[in-house]
Amino acid sequence: MDKYAVWGNPIAQSKSPQIHTIFAQHTQQNMVYTAILGSLEHFEQQIQDFFTQGGKGCNITAPFKERAFKLAHHHSERALTAEACNTLKRLDDGSLYADNTDGLGLTSDLQRLNYLHPNQSILILGAGGATKGVLLPLLQAEQNIWIANRTLSKAQDLAQKFVQFGNVQAVALDQIPNKSFDLIINATSTGLQGEVINIENKILQNATALYDMQYAKQSDTPFIAHCKQLGCHNLSDGFGMLVGQAAHAFELWRGIMPQMEWIDIT
């Protein structure tokens, strides 16, 4: 059987093995997909050993996306702009190809939810790696983007890098314009600590839709719970994004695009 895996640290919480197993069953692919705890000291050697021993491809999650990007010999435009990858594929000549399907996963889920239409105003909270990985597909979908971050200079640097691809600008968290955004995306990691990013409640309440890139399958994320308390509508966490990025990685590896509907993302 062809071998695939996901690498991260921690990794026990990963839903990727279940998702890819369902994809493989529906498409009748002879493959096995496992979760592997990456070593903070020896990650690069682990990846090289995996492919030397016949591995066909793998997904990469925190904290290894930038390190995996540097291991690859060839990169998609999405990976190059993000300077990080979540997907590696071994090519026929033994070299590694890096892609970043996070943004495609996000836009696929936003389309599923009917949250994505041309020429919308989108506010992204946070200017870290999560934002960097999804900006290109969002701009290619003709979105007008504001990046809000506690450290304004970090958001400005990111906006400057991506302005060549579309309309994107930076703003400090306490200087977000008083307007009704079509979509607000939480791309911060504050939810991992059980916290919610500190912005004015009316900004959230005036938004048409709100999306959290994090997910918590058994309960609401802190961001979604906070928005519900404020009476906001059209809310979604990021589980559909996880399924979407997995589907696009699967297509890169196997040449078959699985259907997101095979996974329960309600």
Side-chain angles (χ1 to χ4, degrees):
M1 299 180 74
D2 292 340
K3 294 189 299 182
Y4 296 86
V6 58
W7 302 76
N9 188 331
I11 197 61
Q13 80 288 353
S14 176
K15 305 294 185 184
S16 293
Q18 296 97 306
I19 292 170
H20 281 280
T21 297
I22 293 172
F23 286 165
Q25 290 171 345
H26 275 273
T27 56
Q28 299 179 323
Q29 296 295 294
N30 188 27
M31 57 180 281
V32 60
Y33 186 109
T34 58
I36 300 176
L37 179 66
S39 166
L40 297 178
E41 296 80 18
H42 306 295
F43 168 73
E44 287 78 5
Q45 187 62 52
Q46 286 181 312
I47 289 292
Q48 290 170 2
D49 290 345
F50 173 76
F51 284 107
T52 298
Q53 295 166 11
K56 296 289 187 179
C58 62
N59 288 131
I60 309 293
T61 188
F64 299 120
K65 291 184 180 182
E66 291 81 6
R67 291 167 67 174
F69 171 84
K70 294 177 182 177
L71 280 175
H73 308 91
H74 315 281
H75 304 82
S76 70
E77 183 182 31
R78 292 184 293 268
L80 286 172
T81 55
E83 297 177 342
C85 74
N86 74 329
T87 305
L88 289 173
K89 177 182 180 179
R90 184 185 183 277
L91 302 180
D92 291 340
D93 64 1
S95 61
L96 297 181
Y97 177 80
D99 197 0
N100 193 317
T101 67
D102 286 332
L104 291 176
L106 174 61
T107 55
S108 293
D109 197 36
L110 294 178
Q111 289 167 344
R112 177 187 69 86
L113 294 162
N114 199 31
Y115 287 1
L116 195 65
H117 307 280
N119 202 36
Q120 290 187 143
S121 297
I122 296 182
L123 174 66
I124 301 181
L125 305 176
T131 298
K132 202 173 182 181
V134 302
L135 274 175
L136 181 60
L138 284 173
L139 290 169
Q140 289 174 333
E142 303 177 53
Q143 305 301 298
N144 303 299
I145 296 176
W146 279 257
I147 304 172
N149 197 58
R150 185 175 292 106
T151 304
L152 176 59
S153 60
K154 190 173 181 181
Q156 290 172 327
D157 290 344
L158 201 52
Q160 182 61 36
K161 178 178 179 180
F162 281 87
V163 71
Q164 62 180 306
F165 300 107
N167 186 4
V168 55
Q169 54 192 296
V171 63
L173 280 179
D174 58 356
Q175 296 294 323
I176 296 173
N178 184 22
K179 59 174 293 178
S180 297
F181 289 96
D182 296 297
L183 175 65
I184 295 178
I185 299 174
N186 176 38
T188 70
S189 59
T190 53
L192 296 176
Q193 292 79 43
E195 301 172 358
V196 178
I197 191 168
N198 185 24
I199 64 171
E200 292 187 41
N201 289 338
K202 65 179 181 180
I203 295 172
L204 300 174
Q205 292 170 321
N206 289 337
T208 303
L210 300 107
Y211 190 95
D212 192 354
M213 286 173 61
Q214 295 183 356
Y215 68 92
K217 195 57 176 161
Q218 302 305 319
S219 61
D220 290 329
T221 65
F223 179 77
I224 296 297
H226 178 65
C227 291
K228 282 185 176 180
Q229 291 175 353
L230 295 176
C232 302
H233 301 285
N234 298 323
L235 308 172
S236 179
D237 69 10
F239 186 69
M241 175 182 171
L242 175 72
V243 176
Q245 64 81 25
H248 285 282
F250 189 94
E251 181 185 31
L252 175 65
W253 295 328
R254 310 301 294 186
I256 300 172
M257 184 64 181
Q259 298 179 29
M260 291 177 63
E261 291 75 16
W262 293 338
I263 312 295
D264 179 14
I265 48 179
T266 57

